[in-house]
Structures are given as structure tokens and as C-alpha cells.
Amino acid sequence: MRRQKKTTQSTAPMRQPKQKKKKTILLFCFLLPIMLIILAGAVYFAKLYATAQNAVDSSYHTLDRKKEIEVNPLTETTSILIMGIDDNDSRELGSARTDSLIYLTIDPTKHKVNMISIPRDTYTDIVYQDTVYNKDKINAAYVKGEEQATIESVEHLLNVPIHYYVTFNFDAFLEIIDALGGIEVDVPITFSEQNAAGILDQIHLEKGLQTLNGEQALALARTRKIDNDVKRGERQQLLIQAIVDKALSVGSISKYSNAITAVGKNMRTDLRFDDMLGIAQTGLDGKYEFESYVFDWTDFMLDDASMVELYPDSVDFISHRLRVALGLDIADERDTSDYEFQTNGLSNYYGDY
């Protein structure tokens, strides 16, 4: 599929490219790939295997989904919602808003992953226990009902099922990078940002290729000073690839063990250890083709707060692609290799806000 040309409006904020396709060893996204890569390697080391199993078992947390999960992640296309939570020492996991939301589908037979990052400021319906509440930023769903409300809100927005979830807080992000000895990243611009404790201007990064520790990488992942909310999601994906590259090359059992421990104590998931390990092992059979999507969007102000409006035809297009991947829709001309989506640019979709 061809990469879509970037479009702009003279009177509206820049809209981002619809989607881009790349082939890479990156299996999934956010911190989940680190866990899966480590787990795949752990089968060769009894100590690592036991450490990984204990970490996943301690983080297992079921939800009252009111529906049975009818999918085998080892043989069928599976969807996972990854939630990055902005927690700190004063806020336990489950008390904050989602800072990152990533929905992905994993096809273990075709070795294909589809991914969409949902901007944290997306203005949409908040859904909890099958009740649709007033519109708000989608990251407010976590305040309403933690993973349960976030899952229901994303399912409502994208018209897709979520089979499993994984929730991380940002302590895991810091600790994994530090456990691996840092990551190499090409920083796009010189900037200063607060540290993980919220103290302003404590992290200063110069433009250029360099090795970042956990605090520095987190600052680059979270800053909103250098671009916008959607670009921020793309930056996080680049950081994830850097983490994966380092995890593949680190070659130290002690570093892997520390990284697994960091993930386990900062994670909640309803994926079982055997399922995680099985998904990871499918990656050993061949490289995954990785396809990521980006919504067309604009922004607006509501009650002095910045909101992101996802254009409805953009949401429908990406929803269709995800549903085809899950076997819920029949492929059509929108799924041909030469199809290039163009939004009609509908704005004010939500009326007068």
C-alpha cells in the first residue's frame, strides 16, 4: 500500500498521514514487545523462565467483561489494547489517566501486526458497563472505570472487539531501559522537560543520535513541547523500536532478569503466561510484517481544554481495516495494494461541542 501524501488546510491544524507500512522485526508495540522478546528467549534459560512466569502470574488481573473470549492467540488473530498509565509513587496503578493507548491485532499464522495509536485527547463517548456517558477526552475513561471503561470506550470508538489488555505504568518504561543499559535514539530537536518526579526542566536533551537512560527516554516519549499529540505517539513508536533493538542485542541474563522484574511489578494483564509465551514463540518462525495507522484529525478548544477530533471517515476506514484483519468484515477495494485513502475533511463532527 502506498504511503499517503500529507495534506493541510490553510485554516485548520495540520492533519497527519493516514497510514504507513513498514517491515521490521518489531513484533508489537509499547512495552509488550519487550516482554514477548524476553519470554521467547527465556525458554533457553530456566532461571529466566521462572522469573518471567512469576512476573506474569503476579500481574494477572481479570475483568468482568460479560463476554467470553473466543479466540486462541496461538492460532487466531487476536486483538490487544495496551494502556500506558501516568502513575508515580503517590498514585497506585489504577488511579491515573491513560497517557498512551495502542490497539493492535496479531495474526500468528500470517505473521502480521496492525496497530493504531489513539491520541489521549480524543474527544469521544465514554462508555462503562454498557452505559454511554457524556463525551470527554478518551483518557478520562480510566478515571471512570479503569481498564473496564477504557476497553468499552475504545471498542465503541473503533467498532472492534478487544480480546485482551495490558496496562503498564511509566515506572516500567524507566526501569526496563535502565536495566538494558540505555537505548540509542536520534533525538529530533533540542529541548528541556520535567523529570519523572514532575520537577520542571530537569531533563535537557540535545538534537542528534545519542544513548538515553530511562529518565531521558521518558522525557522524549512524553513531551508535548516539540510537536503535537499525534506526533507524540509516533515518537513513542520510535522509542519502542530502539528498546526492542537493544533487548535483542543485550545478551546479558542479569539484564534480562532485571527487565522482566521491572515489567512484572508495573503491569496488569488478563493474558496468561502460556499465551504470552506462545505468541512470542510465533515470532521465532519468521519476521512479522508491521503496519501502523494514524488518524486524520484536527483539534479544537472546549472549556479552555484542547481536544482532538478524529475525522469520522478516517475512523471508519481504519475500523474497516482492523475488522478485516479480525475476520469481521469482508475485504473490498479499500484493501487493495494501490488504494490510497483521502479524508473528506469533515470538521465539527460533534456539533457545537
Side-chain angles (χ1 to χ4, degrees), residues 295-313:
F295 292 109
D296 282 306
W297 63 285
T298 189
D299 60 1
F300 66 95
M301 298 299 295
L302 179 64
D303 298 330
D304 296 323
S306 177
M307 303 285 182
V308 167
E309 175 190 335
L310 305 180
Y311 290 141
D313 59 348

Side-chain angles (χ1 to χ4, degrees), residues 170-189:
F170 279 101
D171 285 341
F173 192 88
L174 271 69
E175 292 183 32
I176 286 175
I177 293 173
D178 287 340
L180 295 174
I183 57 173
E184 191 172 53
V185 179
D186 191 359
V187 178
I189 192 172

Side-chain angles (χ1 to χ4, degrees), residues 29-273:
C29 54
F30 206 61
L31 298 179
L32 183 59
I34 307 306
M35 194 61 164
L36 298 181
I37 289 172
I38 292 170
L39 289 173
V43 297
Y44 302 106
F45 305 98
K47 180 180 178 181
L48 281 183
Y49 186 94
T51 301
Q53 185 170 27
N54 289 336
V56 175
D57 287 347
S58 66
S59 64
Y60 184 74
H61 180 74
T62 59
L63 303 176
D64 182 16
R65 299 291 307 279
K66 298 181 180 178
K67 60 180 72 175
E68 294 295 328
I69 300 296
E70 298 178 354
V71 62
N72 183 344
L74 308 186
T75 59
E76 300 174 86
T77 302
T78 303
S79 64
I80 300 175
L81 182 66
I82 301 177
M83 292 169 263
I85 304 300
D86 185 10
D87 280 359
N88 55 36
D89 291 338
S90 63
R91 290 186 294 186
E92 296 297 329
L93 188 64
S95 64
R97 293 190 174 208
T98 47
D99 200 59
S100 297
L101 273 176
I102 300 173
Y103 177 89
L104 57 94
T105 65
I106 306 165
D107 186 337
T109 58
K110 296 181 179 179
H111 284 81
K112 185 170 183 178
V113 174
N114 292 281
M115 185 192 79
I116 179 67
S117 296
I118 305 171
R120 53 177 277 174
D121 291 344
T122 297
Y123 187 64
T124 189
D125 292 321
I126 303 301
V127 184
Y128 182 44
Q129 295 180 338
D130 298 323
T131 299
V132 179
Y133 292 87
N134 292 335
K135 288 182 171 64
D136 201 342
K137 293 183 179 182
I138 197 164
N139 67 353
Y142 202 85
V143 178
K144 185 71 175 178
E146 299 184 358
E147 286 91 353
Q148 183 77 32
T150 304
I151 288 171
E152 291 186 42
S153 297
V154 172
E155 287 180 330
H156 181 77
L157 172 66
L158 298 181
N159 189 29
V160 291
I162 294 171
H163 298 134
Y164 298 100
Y165 80 89
V166 180
T167 304
F168 292 96
N169 68 30
F170 279 101
D171 285 341
F173 192 88
L174 271 69
E175 292 183 32
I176 286 175
I177 293 173
D178 287 340
L180 295 174
I183 57 173
E184 191 172 53
V185 179
D186 191 359
V187 178
I189 192 172
T190 299
F191 71 98
S192 295
E193 186 55 83
Q194 67 183 21
N195 62 13
I199 303 175
L200 298 177
D201 298 326
Q202 294 299 299
I203 305 297
H204 181 78
L205 295 179
E206 297 288 339
K207 180 180 178 180
L209 186 66
Q210 57 201 279
T211 299
L212 303 183
N213 61 27
E215 282 265 13
Q216 294 168 329
L218 181 60
L220 180 59
R222 297 175 65 184
T223 187
R224 305 176 79 178
K225 297 178 179 178
I226 62 177
D227 42 45
N228 57 50
D229 199 36
V230 176
K231 282 291 186 181
R232 181 171 174 265
E234 294 179 16
R235 266 188 284 115
Q236 291 173 354
Q237 294 178 40
L238 292 176
L239 283 169
I240 292 160
Q241 184 163 0
I243 296 172
V244 173
D245 290 342
K246 186 60 177 288
L248 286 170
S249 64
V250 67
S252 169
I253 292 179
S254 63
K255 288 185 177 181
Y256 280 137
S257 181
N258 291 338
I260 291 171
T261 301
V263 171
K265 69 181 182 180
N266 293 291
M267 178 178 74
R268 286 205 307 217
T269 182
D270 57 355
L271 270 167
R272 294 285 189 182
F273 176 78

